[in-house]
PDB file of all heavy atoms in Angstrom:
ATOM      1  N   PRO H  18      -2.057  11.043 -44.618  1.00 97.00           N
ATOM      2  CA  PRO H  18      -1.540  11.386 -43.287  1.00 97.00           C
ATOM      3  C   PRO H  18      -2.560  11.002 -42.223  1.00 97.00           C
ATOM      4  O   PRO H  18      -3.774  10.953 -42.483  1.00 97.00           O
ATOM      5  CB  PRO H  18      -1.351  12.905 -43.360  1.00 97.00           C
ATOM      6  CG  PRO H  18      -2.279  13.359 -44.435  1.00 97.00           C
ATOM      7  CD  PRO H  18      -2.348  12.240 -45.431  1.00 97.00           C
ATOM      8  N   GLY H  19      -2.083  10.723 -41.035  1.00 96.00           N
ATOM      9  CA  GLY H  19      -2.987  10.337 -39.958  1.00 96.00           C
ATOM     10  C   GLY H  19      -2.361  10.533 -38.602  1.00 96.00           C
ATOM     11  O   GLY H  19      -1.146  10.714 -38.469  1.00 96.00           O
ATOM     12  N   THR H  20      -3.219  10.501 -37.582  1.00 97.00           N
ATOM     13  CA  THR H  20      -2.780  10.630 -36.194  1.00 97.00           C
ATOM     14  C   THR H  20      -3.125   9.352 -35.450  1.00 97.00           C
ATOM     15  O   THR H  20      -4.271   8.896 -35.483  1.00 97.00           O
ATOM     16  CB  THR H  20      -3.462  11.830 -35.514  1.00 97.00           C
ATOM     17  OG1 THR H  20      -3.089  13.029 -36.203  1.00 97.00           O
ATOM     18  CG2 THR H  20      -3.049  11.936 -34.050  1.00 97.00           C
ATOM     19  N   GLU H  21      -2.133   8.775 -34.799  1.00 97.00           N
ATOM     20  CA  GLU H  21      -2.332   7.548 -34.042  1.00 97.00           C
ATOM     21  C   GLU H  21      -2.224   7.834 -32.546  1.00 97.00           C
ATOM     22  O   GLU H  21      -1.338   8.590 -32.106  1.00 97.00           O
ATOM     23  CB  GLU H  21      -1.286   6.499 -34.447  1.00 97.00           C
ATOM     24  CG  GLU H  21      -1.311   5.220 -33.628  1.00 97.00           C
ATOM     25  CD  GLU H  21      -2.515   4.330 -33.890  1.00 97.00           C
ATOM     26  OE1 GLU H  21      -3.578   4.866 -34.243  1.00 97.00           O
ATOM     27  OE2 GLU H  21      -2.383   3.107 -33.729  1.00 97.00           O
ATOM     28  N   THR H  22      -3.144   7.248 -31.782  1.00 98.00           N
ATOM     29  CA  THR H  22      -3.061   7.305 -30.324  1.00 98.00           C
ATOM     30  C   THR H  22      -2.391   6.028 -29.842  1.00 98.00           C
ATOM     31  O   THR H  22      -2.867   4.917 -30.125  1.00 98.00           O
ATOM     32  CB  THR H  22      -4.453   7.437 -29.685  1.00 98.00           C
ATOM     33  OG1 THR H  22      -5.053   8.661 -30.123  1.00 98.00           O
ATOM     34  CG2 THR H  22      -4.355   7.456 -28.169  1.00 98.00           C
ATOM     35  N   VAL H  23      -1.283   6.175 -29.173  1.00 97.00           N
ATOM     36  CA  VAL H  23      -0.511   5.041 -28.669  1.00 97.00           C
ATOM     37  C   VAL H  23      -0.921   4.780 -27.223  1.00 97.00           C
ATOM     38  O   VAL H  23      -0.796   5.656 -26.359  1.00 97.00           O
ATOM     39  CB  VAL H  23       1.001   5.325 -28.759  1.00 97.00           C
ATOM     40  CG1 VAL H  23       1.795   4.172 -28.161  1.00 97.00           C
ATOM     41  CG2 VAL H  23       1.404   5.570 -30.208  1.00 97.00           C
ATOM     42  N   HIS H  24      -1.440   3.572 -26.971  1.00 98.00           N
ATOM     43  CA  HIS H  24      -1.862   3.187 -25.631  1.00 98.00           C
ATOM     44  C   HIS H  24      -0.821   2.269 -25.014  1.00 98.00           C
ATOM     45  O   HIS H  24      -0.347   1.330 -25.668  1.00 98.00           O
ATOM     46  CB  HIS H  24      -3.200   2.444 -25.673  1.00 98.00           C
ATOM     47  CG  HIS H  24      -4.301   3.221 -26.323  1.00 98.00           C
ATOM     48  ND1 HIS H  24      -4.716   2.998 -27.621  1.00 98.00           N
ATOM     49  CD2 HIS H  24      -5.064   4.227 -25.858  1.00 98.00           C
ATOM     50  CE1 HIS H  24      -5.694   3.819 -27.923  1.00 98.00           C
ATOM     51  NE2 HIS H  24      -5.922   4.587 -26.873  1.00 98.00           N
ATOM     52  N   VAL H  25      -0.489   2.538 -23.766  1.00 98.00           N
ATOM     53  CA  VAL H  25       0.453   1.691 -23.036  1.00 98.00           C
ATOM     54  C   VAL H  25      -0.296   1.031 -21.885  1.00 98.00           C
ATOM     55  O   VAL H  25      -0.871   1.718 -21.023  1.00 98.00           O
ATOM     56  CB  VAL H  25       1.639   2.494 -22.489  1.00 98.00           C
ATOM     57  CG1 VAL H  25       2.630   1.556 -21.789  1.00 98.00           C
ATOM     58  CG2 VAL H  25       2.333   3.269 -23.605  1.00 98.00           C
ATOM     59  N   TYR H  26      -0.307  -0.294 -21.888  1.00 98.00           N
ATOM     60  CA  TYR H  26      -0.955  -1.074 -20.831  1.00 98.00           C
ATOM     61  C   TYR H  26       0.117  -1.780 -20.011  1.00 98.00           C
ATOM     62  O   TYR H  26       1.251  -1.979 -20.477  1.00 98.00           O
ATOM     63  CB  TYR H  26      -1.904  -2.108 -21.431  1.00 98.00           C
ATOM     64  CG  TYR H  26      -3.029  -1.509 -22.234  1.00 98.00           C
ATOM     65  CD1 TYR H  26      -2.908  -1.336 -23.622  1.00 98.00           C
ATOM     66  CD2 TYR H  26      -4.214  -1.112 -21.629  1.00 98.00           C
ATOM     67  CE1 TYR H  26      -3.937  -0.788 -24.366  1.00 98.00           C
ATOM     68  CE2 TYR H  26      -5.252  -0.563 -22.364  1.00 98.00           C
ATOM     69  CZ  TYR H  26      -5.108  -0.397 -23.734  1.00 98.00           C
ATOM     70  OH  TYR H  26      -6.121   0.153 -24.460  1.00 98.00           O
ATOM     71  N   ALA H  27      -0.251  -2.170 -18.799  1.00 98.00           N
ATOM     72  CA  ALA H  27       0.714  -2.845 -17.934  1.00 98.00           C
ATOM     73  C   ALA H  27       0.070  -4.041 -17.260  1.00 98.00           C
ATOM     74  O   ALA H  27      -1.159  -4.128 -17.128  1.00 98.00           O
ATOM     75  CB  ALA H  27       1.254  -1.883 -16.879  1.00 98.00           C
ATOM     76  N   ARG H  28       0.925  -4.951 -16.833  1.00 98.00           N
ATOM     77  CA  ARG H  28       0.501  -6.079 -16.008  1.00 98.00           C
ATOM     78  C   ARG H  28       1.585  -6.360 -14.981  1.00 98.00           C
ATOM     79  O   ARG H  28       2.779  -6.347 -15.308  1.00 98.00           O
ATOM     80  CB  ARG H  28       0.262  -7.327 -16.858  1.00 98.00           C
ATOM     81  CG  ARG H  28      -0.237  -8.523 -16.019  1.00 98.00           C
ATOM     82  CD  ARG H  28      -0.598  -9.707 -16.888  1.00 98.00           C
ATOM     83  NE  ARG H  28       0.574 -10.346 -17.451  1.00 98.00           N
ATOM     84  CZ  ARG H  28       0.651 -10.766 -18.716  1.00 98.00           C
ATOM     85  NH1 ARG H  28      -0.357 -10.556 -19.546  1.00 98.00           N
ATOM     86  NH2 ARG H  28       1.745 -11.360 -19.150  1.00 98.00           N
ATOM     87  N   GLN H  29       1.174  -6.600 -13.750  1.00 97.00           N
ATOM     88  CA  GLN H  29       2.112  -7.006 -12.704  1.00 97.00           C
ATOM     89  C   GLN H  29       2.143  -8.527 -12.673  1.00 97.00           C
ATOM     90  O   GLN H  29       1.102  -9.181 -12.550  1.00 97.00           O
ATOM     91  CB  GLN H  29       1.663  -6.441 -11.351  1.00 97.00           C
ATOM     92  CG  GLN H  29       2.640  -6.704 -10.224  1.00 97.00           C
ATOM     93  CD  GLN H  29       2.189  -6.071  -8.915  1.00 97.00           C
ATOM     94  OE1 GLN H  29       1.149  -5.416  -8.855  1.00 97.00           O
ATOM     95  NE2 GLN H  29       2.966  -6.261  -7.858  1.00 97.00           N
ATOM     96  N   GLU H  30       3.330  -9.094 -12.779  1.00 97.00           N
ATOM     97  CA  GLU H  30       3.427 -10.545 -12.913  1.00 97.00           C
ATOM     98  C   GLU H  30       3.052 -11.281 -11.630  1.00 97.00           C
ATOM     99  O   GLU H  30       2.364 -12.302 -11.675  1.00 97.00           O
ATOM    100  CB  GLU H  30       4.835 -10.939 -13.373  1.00 97.00           C
ATOM    101  CG  GLU H  30       5.171 -10.454 -14.778  1.00 97.00           C
ATOM    102  CD  GLU H  30       4.265 -11.063 -15.833  1.00 97.00           C
ATOM    103  OE1 GLU H  30       4.513 -12.196 -16.262  1.00 97.00           O
ATOM    104  OE2 GLU H  30       3.290 -10.397 -16.228  1.00 97.00           O
ATOM    105  N   VAL H  31       3.510 -10.795 -10.500  1.00 97.00           N
ATOM    106  CA  VAL H  31       3.166 -11.403  -9.204  1.00 97.00           C
ATOM    107  C   VAL H  31       2.859 -10.273  -8.235  1.00 97.00           C
ATOM    108  O   VAL H  31       3.646  -9.331  -8.110  1.00 97.00           O
ATOM    109  CB  VAL H  31       4.323 -12.273  -8.645  1.00 97.00           C
ATOM    110  CG1 VAL H  31       3.922 -12.867  -7.294  1.00 97.00           C
ATOM    111  CG2 VAL H  31       4.680 -13.388  -9.623  1.00 97.00           C
ATOM    112  N   SER H  32       1.722 -10.356  -7.564  1.00 97.00           N
ATOM    113  CA  SER H  32       1.310  -9.261  -6.683  1.00 97.00           C
ATOM    114  C   SER H  32       0.707  -9.805  -5.406  1.00 97.00           C
ATOM    115  O   SER H  32       0.277 -10.963  -5.335  1.00 97.00           O
ATOM    116  CB  SER H  32       0.277  -8.374  -7.395  1.00 97.00           C
ATOM    117  OG  SER H  32      -0.801  -9.159  -7.871  1.00 97.00           O
ATOM    118  N   SER H  33       0.657  -8.965  -4.381  1.00 97.00           N
ATOM    119  CA  SER H  33       0.105  -9.377  -3.093  1.00 97.00           C
ATOM    120  C   SER H  33      -1.417  -9.335  -3.078  1.00 97.00           C
ATOM    121  O   SER H  33      -2.044  -9.926  -2.204  1.00 97.00           O
ATOM    122  CB  SER H  33       0.644  -8.481  -1.972  1.00 97.00           C
ATOM    123  OG  SER H  33       0.218  -7.136  -2.157  1.00 97.00           O
ATOM    124  N   ARG H  34      -2.005  -8.631  -4.009  1.00 97.00           N
ATOM    125  CA  ARG H  34      -3.459  -8.588  -4.191  1.00 97.00           C
ATOM    126  C   ARG H  34      -3.768  -8.894  -5.649  1.00 97.00           C
ATOM    127  O   ARG H  34      -2.936  -8.675  -6.530  1.00 97.00           O
ATOM    128  CB  ARG H  34      -4.018  -7.203  -3.836  1.00 97.00           C
ATOM    129  CG  ARG H  34      -3.957  -6.841  -2.359  1.00 97.00           C
ATOM    130  CD  ARG H  34      -4.998  -7.608  -1.546  1.00 97.00           C
ATOM    131  NE  ARG H  34      -4.953  -7.283  -0.145  1.00 97.00           N
ATOM    132  CZ  ARG H  34      -5.948  -6.709   0.543  1.00 97.00           C
ATOM    133  NH1 ARG H  34      -7.076  -6.396  -0.077  1.00 97.00           N
ATOM    134  NH2 ARG H  34      -5.832  -6.466   1.826  1.00 97.00           N
ATOM    135  N   VAL H  35      -4.987  -9.346  -5.903  1.00 97.00           N
ATOM    136  CA  VAL H  35      -5.383  -9.630  -7.279  1.00 97.00           C
ATOM    137  C   VAL H  35      -5.420  -8.325  -8.060  1.00 97.00           C
ATOM    138  O   VAL H  35      -6.078  -7.361  -7.665  1.00 97.00           O
ATOM    139  CB  VAL H  35      -6.756 -10.326  -7.327  1.00 97.00           C
ATOM    140  CG1 VAL H  35      -7.189 -10.532  -8.777  1.00 97.00           C
ATOM    141  CG2 VAL H  35      -6.699 -11.665  -6.593  1.00 97.00           C
ATOM    142  N   ARG H  36      -4.693  -8.298  -9.171  1.00 97.00           N
ATOM    143  CA  ARG H  36      -4.610  -7.102 -10.007  1.00 97.00           C
ATOM    144  C   ARG H  36      -5.307  -7.355 -11.341  1.00 97.00           C
ATOM    145  O   ARG H  36      -5.568  -8.501 -11.713  1.00 97.00           O
ATOM    146  CB  ARG H  36      -3.142  -6.728 -10.279  1.00 97.00           C
ATOM    147  CG  ARG H  36      -2.253  -6.510  -9.074  1.00 97.00           C
ATOM    148  CD  ARG H  36      -2.623  -5.291  -8.240  1.00 97.00           C
ATOM    149  NE  ARG H  36      -2.853  -4.090  -9.015  1.00 97.00           N
ATOM    150  CZ  ARG H  36      -1.878  -3.267  -9.458  1.00 97.00           C
ATOM    151  NH1 ARG H  36      -0.602  -3.556  -9.226  1.00 97.00           N
ATOM    152  NH2 ARG H  36      -2.180  -2.164 -10.116  1.00 97.00           N
ATOM    153  N   PRO H  37      -5.565  -6.296 -12.100  1.00 98.00           N
ATOM    154  CA  PRO H  37      -6.136  -6.493 -13.439  1.00 98.00           C
ATOM    155  C   PRO H  37      -5.189  -7.271 -14.343  1.00 98.00           C
ATOM    156  O   PRO H  37      -3.968  -7.238 -14.186  1.00 98.00           O
ATOM    157  CB  PRO H  37      -6.323  -5.058 -13.941  1.00 98.00           C
ATOM    158  CG  PRO H  37      -6.396  -4.214 -12.713  1.00 98.00           C
ATOM    159  CD  PRO H  37      -5.475  -4.868 -11.732  1.00 98.00           C
ATOM    160  N   GLU H  38      -5.787  -7.965 -15.314  1.00 97.00           N
ATOM    161  CA  GLU H  38      -4.976  -8.651 -16.318  1.00 97.00           C
ATOM    162  C   GLU H  38      -4.103  -7.652 -17.077  1.00 97.00           C
ATOM    163  O   GLU H  38      -2.989  -7.952 -17.480  1.00 97.00           O
ATOM    164  CB  GLU H  38      -5.875  -9.403 -17.296  1.00 97.00           C
ATOM    165  CG  GLU H  38      -6.556 -10.615 -16.705  1.00 97.00           C
ATOM    166  CD  GLU H  38      -5.633 -11.819 -16.615  1.00 97.00           C
ATOM    167  OE1 GLU H  38      -4.445 -11.706 -16.984  1.00 97.00           O
ATOM    168  OE2 GLU H  38      -6.105 -12.878 -16.162  1.00 97.00           O
ATOM    169  N   ARG H  39      -4.635  -6.461 -17.279  1.00 97.00           N
ATOM    170  CA  ARG H  39      -3.873  -5.344 -17.817  1.00 97.00           C
ATOM    171  C   ARG H  39      -4.663  -4.078 -17.515  1.00 97.00           C
ATOM    172  O   ARG H  39      -5.876  -4.105 -17.333  1.00 97.00           O
ATOM    173  CB  ARG H  39      -3.627  -5.477 -19.322  1.00 97.00           C
ATOM    174  CG  ARG H  39      -4.882  -5.448 -20.158  1.00 97.00           C
ATOM    175  CD  ARG H  39      -4.603  -5.323 -21.637  1.00 97.00           C
ATOM    176  NE  ARG H  39      -5.829  -5.113 -22.385  1.00 97.00           N
ATOM    177  CZ  ARG H  39      -5.915  -4.492 -23.556  1.00 97.00           C
ATOM    178  NH1 ARG H  39      -4.819  -4.010 -24.117  1.00 97.00           N
ATOM    179  NH2 ARG H  39      -7.065  -4.341 -24.168  1.00 97.00           N
ATOM    180  N   TRP H  40      -3.949  -2.977 -17.461  1.00 98.00           N
ATOM    181  CA  TRP H  40      -4.636  -1.707 -17.246  1.00 98.00           C
ATOM    182  C   TRP H  40      -3.850  -0.598 -17.944  1.00 98.00           C
ATOM    183  O   TRP H  40      -2.648  -0.721 -18.189  1.00 98.00           O
ATOM    184  CB  TRP H  40      -4.824  -1.406 -15.758  1.00 98.00           C
ATOM    185  CG  TRP H  40      -3.571  -1.076 -14.992  1.00 98.00           C
ATOM    186  CD1 TRP H  40      -3.094   0.170 -14.700  1.00 98.00           C
ATOM    187  CD2 TRP H  40      -2.634  -2.001 -14.407  1.00 98.00           C
ATOM    188  NE1 TRP H  40      -1.927   0.091 -13.973  1.00 98.00           N
ATOM    189  CE2 TRP H  40      -1.627  -1.230 -13.776  1.00 98.00           C
ATOM    190  CE3 TRP H  40      -2.555  -3.395 -14.351  1.00 98.00           C
ATOM    191  CZ2 TRP H  40      -0.555  -1.816 -13.110  1.00 98.00           C
ATOM    192  CZ3 TRP H  40      -1.484  -3.980 -13.685  1.00 98.00           C
ATOM    193  CH2 TRP H  40      -0.505  -3.193 -13.083  1.00 98.00           C
ATOM    194  N   LEU H  41      -4.552   0.481 -18.294  1.00 98.00           N
ATOM    195  CA  LEU H  41      -3.934   1.600 -18.996  1.00 98.00           C
ATOM    196  C   LEU H  41      -3.040   2.380 -18.042  1.00 98.00           C
ATOM    197  O   LEU H  41      -3.479   2.814 -16.981  1.00 98.00           O
ATOM    198  CB  LEU H  41      -5.015   2.523 -19.557  1.00 98.00           C
ATOM    199  CG  LEU H  41      -4.524   3.690 -20.409  1.00 98.00           C
ATOM    200  CD1 LEU H  41      -4.057   3.196 -21.773  1.00 98.00           C
ATOM    201  CD2 LEU H  41      -5.638   4.738 -20.569  1.00 98.00           C
ATOM    202  N   VAL H  42      -1.770   2.577 -18.437  1.00 98.00           N
ATOM    203  CA  VAL H  42      -0.840   3.329 -17.600  1.00 98.00           C
ATOM    204  C   VAL H  42      -0.317   4.592 -18.285  1.00 98.00           C
ATOM    205  O   VAL H  42       0.299   5.442 -17.642  1.00 98.00           O
ATOM    206  CB  VAL H  42       0.356   2.461 -17.150  1.00 98.00           C
ATOM    207  CG1 VAL H  42      -0.107   1.364 -16.201  1.00 98.00           C
ATOM    208  CG2 VAL H  42       1.094   1.864 -18.354  1.00 98.00           C
ATOM    209  N   GLY H  43      -0.566   4.730 -19.585  1.00 98.00           N
ATOM    210  CA  GLY H  43      -0.097   5.930 -20.274  1.00 98.00           C
ATOM    211  C   GLY H  43      -0.582   5.943 -21.708  1.00 98.00           C
ATOM    212  O   GLY H  43      -1.007   4.919 -22.255  1.00 98.00           O
ATOM    213  N   PHE H  44      -0.527   7.126 -22.330  1.00 98.00           N
ATOM    214  CA  PHE H  44      -0.907   7.248 -23.730  1.00 98.00           C
ATOM    215  C   PHE H  44      -0.296   8.517 -24.301  1.00 98.00           C
ATOM    216  O   PHE H  44       0.094   9.437 -23.588  1.00 98.00           O
ATOM    217  CB  PHE H  44      -2.430   7.245 -23.908  1.00 98.00           C
ATOM    218  CG  PHE H  44      -3.149   8.373 -23.204  1.00 98.00           C
ATOM    219  CD1 PHE H  44      -3.384   9.590 -23.841  1.00 98.00           C
ATOM    220  CD2 PHE H  44      -3.605   8.210 -21.905  1.00 98.00           C
ATOM    221  CE1 PHE H  44      -4.053  10.621 -23.195  1.00 98.00           C
ATOM    222  CE2 PHE H  44      -4.274   9.232 -21.253  1.00 98.00           C
ATOM    223  CZ  PHE H  44      -4.499  10.448 -21.891  1.00 98.00           C
ATOM    224  N   GLY H  45      -0.236   8.557 -25.611  1.00 98.00           N
ATOM    225  CA  GLY H  45       0.255   9.738 -26.315  1.00 98.00           C
ATOM    226  C   GLY H  45      -0.191   9.678 -27.756  1.00 98.00           C
ATOM    227  O   GLY H  45      -0.686   8.648 -28.228  1.00 98.00           O
ATOM    228  N   GLN H  46      -0.033  10.779 -28.477  1.00 97.00           N
ATOM    229  CA  GLN H  46      -0.460  10.838 -29.871  1.00 97.00           C
ATOM    230  C   GLN H  46       0.696  11.277 -30.760  1.00 97.00           C
ATOM    231  O   GLN H  46       1.545  12.065 -30.342  1.00 97.00           O
ATOM    232  CB  GLN H  46      -1.635  11.806 -30.034  1.00 97.00           C
ATOM    233  CG  GLN H  46      -2.934  11.299 -29.421  1.00 97.00           C
ATOM    234  CD  GLN H  46      -4.102  12.221 -29.681  1.00 97.00           C
ATOM    235  OE1 GLN H  46      -3.956  13.436 -29.703  1.00 97.00           O
ATOM    236  NE2 GLN H  46      -5.281  11.643 -29.867  1.00 97.00           N
ATOM    237  N   VAL H  47       0.686  10.750 -31.977  1.00 97.00           N
ATOM    238  CA  VAL H  47       1.718  11.110 -32.930  1.00 97.00           C
ATOM    239  C   VAL H  47       1.086  11.200 -34.321  1.00 97.00           C
ATOM    240  O   VAL H  47       0.266  10.365 -34.700  1.00 97.00           O
ATOM    241  CB  VAL H  47       2.874  10.079 -32.907  1.00 97.00           C
ATOM    242  CG1 VAL H  47       2.388   8.684 -33.250  1.00 97.00           C
ATOM    243  CG2 VAL H  47       4.001  10.508 -33.816  1.00 97.00           C
ATOM    244  N   SER H  48       1.423  12.249 -35.070  1.00 97.00           N
ATOM    245  CA  SER H  48       0.943  12.426 -36.437  1.00 97.00           C
ATOM    246  C   SER H  48       2.053  12.028 -37.406  1.00 97.00           C
ATOM    247  O   SER H  48       3.210  12.445 -37.241  1.00 97.00           O
ATOM    248  CB  SER H  48       0.526  13.878 -36.680  1.00 97.00           C
ATOM    249  OG  SER H  48      -0.567  14.224 -35.849  1.00 97.00           O
ATOM    250  N   VAL H  49       1.685  11.213 -38.409  1.00 97.00           N
ATOM    251  CA  VAL H  49       2.690  10.647 -39.301  1.00 97.00           C
ATOM    252  C   VAL H  49       2.207  10.769 -40.741  1.00 97.00           C
ATOM    253  O   VAL H  49       1.055  10.457 -41.056  1.00 97.00           O
ATOM    254  CB  VAL H  49       2.952   9.161 -38.977  1.00 97.00           C
ATOM    255  CG1 VAL H  49       4.189   8.666 -39.725  1.00 97.00           C
ATOM    256  CG2 VAL H  49       3.110   8.930 -37.482  1.00 97.00           C
ATOM    257  N   ASP H  50       3.084  11.224 -41.626  1.00 97.00           N
ATOM    258  CA  ASP H  50       2.772  11.312 -43.046  1.00 97.00           C
ATOM    259  C   ASP H  50       2.902   9.939 -43.703  1.00 97.00           C
ATOM    260  O   ASP H  50       3.588   9.042 -43.189  1.00 97.00           O
ATOM    261  CB  ASP H  50       3.721  12.293 -43.734  1.00 97.00           C
ATOM    262  CG  ASP H  50       3.427  13.734 -43.351  1.00 97.00           C
ATOM    263  OD1 ASP H  50       2.240  14.041 -43.098  1.00 97.00           O
ATOM    264  OD2 ASP H  50       4.379  14.544 -43.306  1.00 97.00           O
ATOM    265  N   PRO H  51       2.281   9.746 -44.864  1.00 97.00           N
ATOM    266  CA  PRO H  51       2.364   8.448 -45.560  1.00 97.00           C
ATOM    267  C   PRO H  51       3.811   8.055 -45.847  1.00 97.00           C
ATOM    268  O   PRO H  51       4.631   8.881 -46.255  1.00 97.00           O
ATOM    269  CB  PRO H  51       1.603   8.702 -46.868  1.00 97.00           C
ATOM    270  CG  PRO H  51       0.724   9.876 -46.593  1.00 97.00           C
ATOM    271  CD  PRO H  51       1.445  10.715 -45.595  1.00 97.00           C
ATOM    272  N   GLY H  52       4.103   6.792 -45.573  1.00 96.00           N
ATOM    273  CA  GLY H  52       5.443   6.290 -45.834  1.00 96.00           C
ATOM    274  C   GLY H  52       6.490   6.718 -44.830  1.00 96.00           C
ATOM    275  O   GLY H  52       7.659   6.345 -44.946  1.00 96.00           O
ATOM    276  N   GLU H  53       6.099   7.490 -43.854  1.00 96.00           N
ATOM    277  CA  GLU H  53       7.039   7.984 -42.857  1.00 96.00           C
ATOM    278  C   GLU H  53       6.864   7.238 -41.538  1.00 96.00           C
ATOM    279  O   GLU H  53       5.869   6.539 -41.309  1.00 96.00           O
ATOM    280  CB  GLU H  53       6.839   9.485 -42.619  1.00 96.00           C
ATOM    281  CG  GLU H  53       7.033  10.351 -43.846  1.00 96.00           C
ATOM    282  CD  GLU H  53       8.461  10.341 -44.337  1.00 96.00           C
ATOM    283  OE1 GLU H  53       9.372  10.283 -43.483  1.00 96.00           O
ATOM    284  OE2 GLU H  53       8.677  10.371 -45.563  1.00 96.00           O
TER     285      GLU H  53
END
């Protein structure tokens, strides 16, 4: 069994200012049993 942290990154395709190539916008954790 294990716990995974899910990271969600984002990128804006066209912007009026230079933006990061990607940046963290959200995260969450989920515990999952083997084979599940």
Side-chain angles (χ1 to χ4, degrees):
T20 298
E21 174 71 331
T22 298
V23 177
H24 303 101
V25 183
Y26 299 93
R28 182 174 72 223
Q29 185 177 359
E30 294 297 278
V31 179
S32 54
S33 64
R34 291 286 180 117
V35 176
R36 304 293 313 278
E38 289 281 2
R39 64 169 188 154
W40 70 97
L41 184 74
V42 293
F44 60 90
Q46 290 184 324
V47 60
S48 296
V49 191
D50 289 328
E53 300 294 324

